[in-house]
């Protein structure tokens, strides 16, 4: 059996025969006989701070951060949604508390109870 070790992750794989792909890749090395794998080496990519693709951390002092804090507080103050059996008025009141714009608040009274439940019934994550 031929064993290969990935420098970046520490993974060790065994192959019955030489693997041309692993032989070619610079982050893989062939282990000799009973050679023990060495420590994982940081490659510069895995040690970087992780964020969702396209999402940069928000500067806590920026106007965007203030807007995000206000939105989170508003959603928290709205509390839990009413029971599905609650009156439409209870759902309208809850939806008004969760709405994020004047346009959205103006639309709420025209929605049916089922529409309010569908739109506002889920807990914010």
């Amino acid at each position: 059996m031929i064993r290969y070790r990935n420098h970046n992750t520490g993974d060790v794989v065994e192959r019955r025969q030489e693997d041309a792909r692993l032989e070619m890749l610079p982050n893989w090395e062939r282990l000799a006989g009973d050679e023990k794998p060495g420590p994982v080496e940081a490659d510069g990519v895995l040690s970087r701070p992780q964020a969702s693709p396209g999402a940069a951390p928000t500067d806590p002092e920026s106007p965007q951060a203030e807007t995000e804090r206000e939105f989170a507080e508003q959603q928290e103050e709205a509390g839990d949604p009413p029971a599905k059996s609650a009156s439409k008025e209870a759902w309208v009141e809850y939806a008004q508390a969760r709405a994020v714009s004047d346009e959205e608040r103006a639309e709420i009274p025209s929605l049916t109870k089922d529409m309010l439940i569908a739109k506002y019934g889920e807990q914010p994550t």
Side-chain angles (χ1 to χ4, degrees):
M1 263 316 159
I2 299 174
R3 295 179 343 155
Y4 294 93
R5 174 187 169 271
N6 184 308
H7 289 281
N8 301 335
T9 64
D11 291 342
V12 175
V13 297
E14 293 184 354
R15 299 287 189 256
R16 292 179 195 255
Q17 58 192 22
E18 187 175 286
D19 187 317
R21 181 172 174 267
L22 295 181
E23 292 283 342
M24 176 191 74
L25 294 170
N27 58 318
W28 286 90
E29 70 174 333
R30 185 190 286 204
L31 298 175
D34 291 344
E35 181 182 357
K36 300 248 187 227
V40 175
E41 300 170 13
D43 70 347
V45 174
L46 297 176
S47 59
R48 295 179 193 162
Q50 299 298 309
S52 299
T58 304
D59 176 8
E61 303 301 319
S62 72
Q64 176 67 27
E66 180 62 28
T67 302
E68 289 174 6
R69 279 192 294 277
E70 289 172 5
F71 176 75
E73 290 171 10
Q74 174 192 2
Q75 297 304 304
E76 190 175 308
E77 288 172 5
D80 294 333
K84 290 184 179 181
S85 60
S87 68
K88 179 183 176 187
E89 291 74 31
W91 276 98
V92 167
E93 184 178 325
Y94 175 73
Q96 293 284 359
R98 291 271 316 272
V100 294
S101 68
D102 292 335
E103 293 83 15
E104 186 178 357
R105 284 183 194 88
E107 173 193 45
I108 289 172
S110 66
L111 300 176
T112 67
K113 178 181 168 184
D114 288 337
M115 292 169 81
L116 291 167
I117 291 170
K119 187 168 183 177
Y120 299 100
E122 294 295 320
Q123 285 288 349
T125 55

